[in-house]
Amino acid sequence: MSTLTTGTPVQTPSVGTAHTRVEGRDKVTGAARYAGEVPFAELAHGWLVLSTVARGRIRALDTDPVLAMPGVLAVLDHRNAPRVDTEYNGMLGKPDPTCAVFQHDRVPHLGWPVALVVAETSEQAREAAEALVVHYEREPHDVELTAEHPDAHPVDGHQPGVTEKGDLDAELASSAFVVDAEYRTPEEHHNPMEPHAATARWDGGRLEVIDSNQGATWVVSELANLFSLDPASVRVRSEHVGGGFGSKGVRAHQVAAVMAATVLQRPVRVVLTRRQMFSLAGYRSPTAQRVRLGAGADGRLRALEHRSISLTSTVHEFVEPSAGVARVMYDADAHHTANRVVPLDVPTPTFMRAPGEAPGSFALESALDELAERCGIDPIELRLRNEPDKGPVSGLPFAGRNLAACFREGARRFGWADRDPRPGLRRDGRWLLGTGTAAASFPAGAAPSTATATAHPDGSFTVRISAADIGTGARTALTLVAADALQVSPQRVRVRIGDSDFGPAMIAGGSMGTRSWSWAVGAAAGDLRERLALGADVPPEGITVRSDTTAAIGALAAAERHSFGAQFAEVAVDVTTGEVRVRRMLGIFAAGRIVNPLTARNQFLGGMIWGISMALHEEAVRDRASGGHVGADLAGYHVATHADVPRIEADWVEDIDPDDPVGIKGVGEIGIVGAAAAIANAVWHATGVRHRSLPIRPDRVLSAAAGAPDA
């Protein structure tokens, strides 16, 4: 044994200083292995067969010719696949039956999994899957979202479906200025760089899954429930993840891989193609949002109504809570919000970066800009006049609301004071120039997590937590948090993540990951430091301390906890070609304690760039005749590229909550919120024409220039 102390406290804290990613070298040299790259002996490959009809039944599958093809080991479908149980409530409620593959002959949407072909190689599996003939009984389908759809109904989801206070009609009638407009956003898709992949195998009676996911213990829980297993008999590992954005939960490919591994008793890997991801990885629902605002002569809101309608599948209810953003941002004497859904013959939507807030902020912040124009008040000043002193719906105090500081700092750096509010006046050759702004907010929650910290005799430390680094730099952030809690340099700390055997922890989602994990890591490392300070002997196996933040999080006082931000954009518009170019963007954020400025800035910028995509490019179009997508690939689904982002900056203001023991709020999603609205408001300032439907395509700009109503 040896006696180990943490040594002289580090003079310069690690948290708050820029650090490159601790796994960066492994990623750029190829040493970091992703879910589809981990080798296994006797690995078989599964290829999903998806339905080619949008609604109906499977009459027959011609499997015999496929089973006779070279290398084919099995074909699983609803006639022979293992049964699974979906009658349970998981971490996010009832599971989407889409993941419970091959349980019946019903087809609820185009791209529904109807079979899995397993073969010795991926190429053999794909060839056989494409050769499988499936016979269907077709039924009429409906894939079109309309605001007046008769089946629309409110859904609570993770927040109440409807909130109401005050007499809306009376306050609107007595308002000096009124805005009443509908805003639309299209279907959008995650498309992370790394496709969805999973390998399942049985090892000594224990199920092991190597997966690309946003929470290993979450996947364990769902698989254990689906297959009626003891959670202790399931292990999920996901060390490196190439992007998730809300899509990498429990999906059809993991369940199919487990089924095939169970039947064949050998490892089976299933990887989704990019085209399959458009059907099986979830997406952001299109929305139709009506916003009605009424204000007095001073610009203060008397009435606020925000109603949103989105779509869901016929097998599972998922709501895009776009009206929820109004419940935080602005108050009014009459305040009504509603989130409704329409069940259609489409795949189930899911969480996508800033769910609810991203599309909701486009509608609300565009409407605020319209109100500012009618009131003759500067858009920033109008927002500051309507700053609430407590949650407009909840009535809870804000645990820090530094939105005003974001706007003031952003306005100074962007040069807002020099802006002529009149539209259509600035020119640069053939380009009309305009500037716009919008506010941003996103919840800052925390969920219970566990972590362990181990001291080794050589003076190093290992932290273990079932966190998921989906490209955000979480592994590096947790290294810095642990180093400060131990009062040592980050070089002495190794953080291991992505393994369900490390114990339950929050998923990477909702901008809650780093906050939740840091709380647990800091607690474990801090307790370990105190134990070592007492002169504890360190045996060869080390000293390990475990934390559990369940009680601490439960003791938090109720409050409205959010990150806030102010988005600014300058655009150039050519009304003869329809081109819209973003010339510069600035985002200033109040996001609590910034752990690693380097990766935090990357997250802000990534969100803002996604906002450019949302405003000008992204749009998945569904063919009403077939029920499927037109161009379900990255050739047909356009995203922003480097050429679309010439100058973009992100920074933050001090945002400290003295009553918060962690102080971290999360930065992964706030960057996209309000970005599309700022761009749309800038397009109005450039042209004098409002665009209430995204994306702002060239044809819509041309139609608007010709005097046609907004498309």
Side-chain angles (χ1 to χ4, degrees):
M1 294 185 178
S2 65
T3 300
L4 173 71
T5 64
T6 54
T8 304
V10 176
Q11 297 301 308
T12 303
S14 298
V15 169
T17 58
H19 284 72
T20 57
R21 296 171 187 261
V22 296
E23 82 285 7
R25 180 182 293 273
D26 287 345
K27 285 184 173 177
V28 299
T29 60
R33 295 188 303 193
Y34 293 83
E37 300 174 325
V38 179
F40 289 96
E42 298 185 338
L43 178 65
H45 299 265
W47 201 278
L48 285 166
V49 179
L50 307 186
S51 71
T52 57
V53 302
R55 186 179 178 87
R57 289 185 179 276
I58 302 169
R59 284 198 294 110
L61 297 96
D62 296 342
T63 55
D64 287 344
V66 170
L67 288 168
M69 294 179 70
V72 174
L73 301 170
V75 177
L76 298 182
D77 57 54
H78 67 279
R79 302 167 302 179
N80 62 356
R83 301 295 95 183
V84 295
D85 179 17
T86 58
E87 296 302 316
Y88 68 89
N89 277 307
M91 190 185 85
L92 300 179
K94 285 279 189 183
D96 181 355
T98 307
C99 71
V101 291
F102 320 138
Q103 299 299 292
H104 52 75
D105 63 356
R106 291 289 310 167
V107 174
H109 62 75
L110 190 134
W112 175 265
V114 297
L116 179 76
V117 177
V118 187
E120 295 286 357
T121 70
S122 177
E123 293 79 8
Q124 290 170 334
R126 178 173 188 169
E127 183 180 5
E130 291 175 349
L132 180 62
V133 176
V134 183
H135 304 273
Y136 301 96
E137 289 180 4
R138 292 176 179 265
E139 298 174 6
H141 63 265
D142 180 9
V143 299
E144 187 175 12
L145 175 67
T146 60
E148 302 79 22
H149 200 287
D151 294 333
H153 59 278
V155 172
D156 287 344
H158 295 280
Q159 57 181 255
V162 176
T163 65
E164 293 182 343
K165 72 174 183 182
D167 189 331
L168 187 71
D169 291 335
E171 294 296 343
L172 285 169
S174 59
S175 294
F177 304 100
V178 173
V179 169
D180 184 349
E182 183 175 281
Y183 304 86
R184 288 183 171 270
T185 61
E187 181 178 321
E188 299 171 341
H189 285 258
H190 306 77
N191 280 307
M193 185 176 292
E194 178 205 17
H196 295 58
T199 303
R201 67 168 183 163
W202 288 93
D203 183 13
R206 195 178 193 209
L207 175 64
E208 182 179 34
V209 177
I210 309 297
D211 187 26
S212 179
N213 63 57
Q214 294 181 224
T217 53
W218 174 29
V219 177
V220 164
S221 174
E222 297 295 315
L223 292 178
N225 277 312
L226 285 165
F227 289 94
S228 302
L229 299 171
D230 179 353
S233 69
V234 183
R235 182 187 187 188
V236 172
R237 290 190 289 142
S238 185
E239 185 175 0
H240 296 287
V241 181
F245 312 115
S247 71
K248 286 185 175 173
V250 179
R251 302 285 173 199
H253 65 290
Q254 295 126 311
V255 178
V258 174
M259 287 180 172
T262 302
V263 171
L264 295 174
Q265 286 299 299
R266 61 185 287 185
V268 177
R269 175 171 294 156
V270 180
V271 181
L272 297 185
T273 67
R274 184 69 62 184
R275 181 172 288 274
Q276 288 174 340
M277 285 165 54
F278 275 81
S279 297
L280 297 178
Y283 57 96
R284 197 194 306 279
S285 166
T287 69
Q289 303 176 58
R290 185 184 184 188
V291 179
R292 291 199 290 174
L293 303 176
D298 59 358
R300 287 187 168 84
L301 288 171
R302 302 187 60 168
L304 187 159
E305 180 185 39
H306 190 170
R307 297 184 179 274
S308 175
I309 186 168
S310 58
L311 58 74
T312 190
S313 69
T314 59
V315 298
H316 187 68
E317 279 195 337
F318 180 89
V319 60
E320 181 76 21
S322 302
V325 66
R327 301 171 186 177
V328 174
M329 291 306 297
Y330 309 106
D331 201 1
D333 295 326
H335 195 288
H336 291 202
T337 64
N339 291 307
R340 297 184 299 153
V341 299
V342 174
L344 297 172
D345 302 313
V346 296
T348 308
T350 193
F351 303 98
M352 184 167 168
R353 198 173 194 176
E357 274 79 5
S361 65
F362 165 66
L364 182 63
E365 294 298 315
S366 295
L368 258 291
D369 206 68
E370 296 198 40
L371 183 64
E373 176 196 356
R374 297 187 187 185
C375 293
I377 300 174
D378 179 80
I380 294 178
E381 176 60 28
L382 180 72
R383 288 168 171 83
L384 296 180
R385 289 187 190 183
N386 284 286
E387 273 286 277
D389 57 4
K390 60 183 178 180
V393 172
S394 70
L396 295 172
F398 285 101
R401 183 182 168 105
N402 291 332
L403 178 60
C406 294
F407 269 118
R408 292 189 179 105
E409 175 64 11
R412 182 188 68 81
R413 290 175 56 168
F414 196 73
W416 189 262
D418 299 329
R419 177 183 189 261
D420 188 324
R422 295 173 297 172
L425 296 182
R426 289 178 61 207
R427 274 194 174 272
D428 180 8
R430 66 187 176 95
W431 300 97
L432 291 169
L433 306 182
T435 53
T437 190
S441 73
F442 197 80
S449 298
T450 63
T452 62
T454 301
H456 303 290
D458 64 357
S460 66
F461 300 87
T462 300
V463 171
R464 294 175 175 85
I465 185 168
S466 295
D469 191 336
I470 59 175
T472 57
R475 184 186 273 100
T476 307
L478 296 179
T479 300
L480 305 183
V481 169
D484 278 2
L486 290 164
Q487 295 185 354
V488 301
S489 69
Q491 289 72 27
R492 290 171 62 182
V493 179
R494 181 191 180 200
V495 172
R496 295 186 59 195
I497 64 173
D499 189 332
S500 63
D501 277 0
F502 296 160
M506 175 58 187
I507 66 172
S511 286
M512 296 169 64
T514 301
R515 174 172 165 79
S516 302
W517 305 324
S518 294
W519 201 329
V521 166
D527 288 349
L528 178 60
R529 177 177 56 81
E530 291 180 4
R531 184 169 172 182
L532 294 173
L534 297 175
D537 287 337
V538 181
E541 67 274 14
I543 296 176
T544 297
V545 174
R546 184 179 185 273
S547 67
D548 185 338
T549 60
T550 302
I553 288 175
L556 272 178
E560 288 278 5
R561 291 183 173 84
H562 301 266
S563 294
F564 291 96
Q567 303 272 18
F568 296 83
E570 180 179 39
V571 303
V573 184
D574 185 341
V575 295
T576 62
T577 66
E579 293 174 84
V580 178
R581 301 292 186 189
V582 175
R583 290 199 166 184
R584 61 188 177 111
M585 283 192 77
L586 171 67
I588 302 293
F589 302 96
R593 181 185 180 205
I594 301 300
V595 179
N596 185 355
L598 183 63
T599 52
R601 183 171 279 108
N602 288 344
Q603 285 297 296
F604 289 135
L605 293 176
M608 293 168 68
I609 292 167
W610 201 331
I612 295 174
S613 262
M614 182 178 178
L616 304 180
H617 303 291
E618 293 193 50
E619 181 180 27
V621 179
R622 209 169 272 281
D623 176 23
R624 282 183 288 176
S626 69
H629 288 114
V630 177
D633 49 48
L634 292 182
Y637 184 85
H638 296 168
V639 298
T641 65
H642 287 300
D644 298 302
V645 191
R647 181 181 167 194
I648 183 166
E649 298 177 76
D651 211 338
W652 47 87
V653 299
E654 189 173 84
D655 187 35
I656 298 173
D657 177 5
D659 299 322
D660 191 318
V662 182
I664 298 166
K665 288 186 175 180
V667 301
E669 294 171 279
I670 184 71
I672 190 176
V673 183
I679 293 169
N681 293 338
V683 171
W684 168 80
H685 187 233
T687 64
V689 176
R690 292 283 176 190
H691 287 268
R692 301 187 181 96
S693 294
L694 295 183
I696 306 174
R697 302 188 311 249
D699 63 304
R700 287 176 168 163
V701 174
L702 293 174
S703 295
D710 181 48

